[in-house]
C-alpha cells in the first residue's frame, strides 16, 4: 500500500528512532525524503545502479545517511536469462514477465544484451498493476508461442508467486525466478542471492551503526553468494 509509505516514514522520524531499515526501492526513497539525519539501512535495494539513481555518492563511500545492501537486480536478471538459455537451449523466443514497462526499463539493457549475444527474441508480457491481469499476460505468452519465461525480480512477483507458478505450469512454459522459494514451491528454477545471506549482511551493518559507525562511511554491500535451485519434479513434468 504505497500511499501509506510517506505517513509511516514521517511517524518513524517523529518517534526519533535510531535507525530506519527500509525494504525495497519505494520504501528506501520514501525514507530518504522523510529524513537526512536518521541512518537508513537498505534491506535490500533492488533497482538500477545506486549512484546513477542518486541514492548514494559511491558504493565505497555512500555519503549522507544511507547505506545497506544492493542485491544487484539488473545484473542478476540478465544472468537468469543466461541460465534459462542453458537449461532450455532449444528455446529461441523468451517471454519476460513485467508489471509496467517504465518500471522495468532500467533492468532491461543488460537483459537485452544477453538476448542479443545468444540470438534470442524477447516478448514482453506485462501484467500492469493488477493481479487480475496475469491471465492476459499468460495468454500473450501462449499466443506468441514463447518457449520459456524470465520472471523479472520484483516484490510484486514474490507476493504473487503461487499464481505465477500455477499459470506457468498450465501454459507448460519453463520459467526461471529470482528467489529459491519459487523453485521450492513448484517453479522450474531460480538463481540469485539468498534472502538469509542478504539479511545477515544488513544485520551486520545495523550493528556497526549502533556501535557508532556513520552510514555515509560504510560501503554499500553486494551479495557474495548465489544459489541455483532446480525443481526436478517440475523439470520432469515439462519433459526437460
Amino acid at each position: 500500500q504505497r500511499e501509506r509509505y510517506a505517513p509511516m516514514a514521517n511517524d518513524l522520524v517523529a518517534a526519533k528512532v535510531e535507525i530506519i531499515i527500509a525494504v525495497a526501492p519505494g520504501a528506501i526513497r520514501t525514507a530518504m525524503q522523510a529524513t537526512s539525519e536518521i541512518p537508513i539501512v537498505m534491506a535490500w535495494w533492488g533497482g538500477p545502479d545506486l549512484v546513477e539513481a542518486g541514492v548514494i555518492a559511491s558504493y565505497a563511500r555512500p555519503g549522507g545517511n544511507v547505506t545497506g545492501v544492493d542485491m544487484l537486480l539488473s545484473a542478476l536478471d540478465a544472468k537468469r536469462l543466461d541460465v534459462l538459455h542453458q537449461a532450455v537451449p532449444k528455446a529461441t523466443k523468451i517471454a519476460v514477465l513485467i508489471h509496467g514497462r517504465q518500471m522495468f526499463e532500467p533492468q532491461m539493457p543488460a537483459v537485452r544484451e544477453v538476448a542479443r549475444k545468444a540470438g534470442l527474441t524477447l516478448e514482453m508480457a506485462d501484467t500492469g498493476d493488477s493481479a487480475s491481469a496475469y491471465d492476459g499476460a499468460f495468454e500473450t505468452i501462449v499466443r506468441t508461442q514463447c518457449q520459456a519465461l524470465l520472471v523479472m525480480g520484483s516484490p510484486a512477483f514474490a507476493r504473487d508467486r503461487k499464481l505465477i507458478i500455477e499459470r506457468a505450469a498450465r501454459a507448460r512454459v519453463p520459467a526461471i525466478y529470482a528467489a529459491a522459494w519459487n523453485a521450492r514451491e513448484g517453479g522450474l528454477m531460480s538463481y540469485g542471492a539468498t534472502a538469509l545471506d542478504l539479511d545477515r549482511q544488513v544485520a551486520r551493518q545495523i550493528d556497526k551503526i549502533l556501535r557508532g559507525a556513520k552510514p555515509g562511511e560504510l560501503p554499500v554491500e553486494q551479495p557474495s553468494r548465489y544459489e541455483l535451485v532446480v525443481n526436478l519434479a517440475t523439470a520432469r513434468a515439462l519433459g526437460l
Side-chain angles (χ1 to χ4, degrees):
Q1 294 175 297
R2 292 177 181 271
E3 68 277 5
R4 298 184 62 197
Y5 280 8
M8 293 172 79
N10 291 333
D11 285 347
L12 294 177
V13 173
K16 298 181 179 179
V17 297
E18 292 180 64
I19 293 179
I20 294 175
I21 305 162
V23 181
I28 292 163
R29 289 189 182 279
T30 303
M32 290 177 65
Q33 292 165 0
T35 178
S36 59
E37 297 179 1
I38 297 173
I40 298 168
V41 179
M42 300 181 292
W44 330 294
W45 176 262
D49 181 273
L50 280 161
V51 178
E52 292 180 7
V55 177
I56 59 174
S58 73
Y59 279 78
R61 196 176 178 87
N65 62 323
V66 180
T67 189
V69 176
D70 178 4
M71 65 183 297
L72 298 179
L73 198 58
S74 297
L76 286 175
D77 278 325
K79 179 62 179 176
R80 279 187 278 274
L81 178 59
D82 180 46
V83 172
L84 180 63
H85 180 53
Q86 293 178 54
V88 194
K90 293 182 179 179
T92 58
K93 192 169 189 179
I94 311 295
V96 182
L97 193 67
I98 60 173
H99 53 84
R101 288 178 182 267
Q102 187 174 356
M103 180 176 294
F104 285 87
E105 188 52 38
Q107 294 159 238
M108 287 306 300
V111 173
R112 292 192 187 103
E113 181 61 15
V114 170
R116 185 189 66 78
K117 289 181 177 179
L120 303 173
T121 300
L122 301 180
E123 179 73 36
M124 309 306 287
D126 193 348
T127 69
D129 294 324
S130 170
S132 62
Y134 283 104
D135 286 336
F138 275 92
E139 284 172 9
T140 298
I141 291 169
V142 173
R143 176 174 47 79
T144 56
Q145 298 182 322
C146 291
Q147 299 147 308
L149 170 64
L150 168 65
V151 180
M152 297 288 276
S154 163
F157 291 155
R159 177 196 64 201
D160 299 333
R161 62 187 182 275
K162 291 184 179 179
L163 187 153
I164 296 168
I165 290 166
E166 175 190 297
R167 298 295 194 282
R170 189 185 304 168
R172 293 191 57 77
V173 58
I176 190 166
Y177 304 82
W181 53 59
N182 295 278
R184 296 192 175 106
E185 292 177 15
L188 174 62
M189 60 197 306
S190 65
Y191 179 84
T194 70
L196 184 59
D197 285 339
L198 291 170
D199 283 342
R200 283 175 171 150
Q201 289 178 269
V202 170
R204 285 193 293 269
Q205 290 199 325
I206 293 168
D207 179 62
K208 290 175 183 177
I209 292 171
L210 290 175
R211 293 173 185 271
K214 295 181 180 179
E217 298 174 0
L218 282 178
V220 171
E221 297 186 17
Q222 297 174 342
S224 57
R225 206 166 140 245
Y226 302 91
E227 181 178 48
L228 171 68
V229 180
V230 178
N231 187 312
L232 295 179
T234 301
R236 283 192 293 270
L238 291 168
L240 296 175

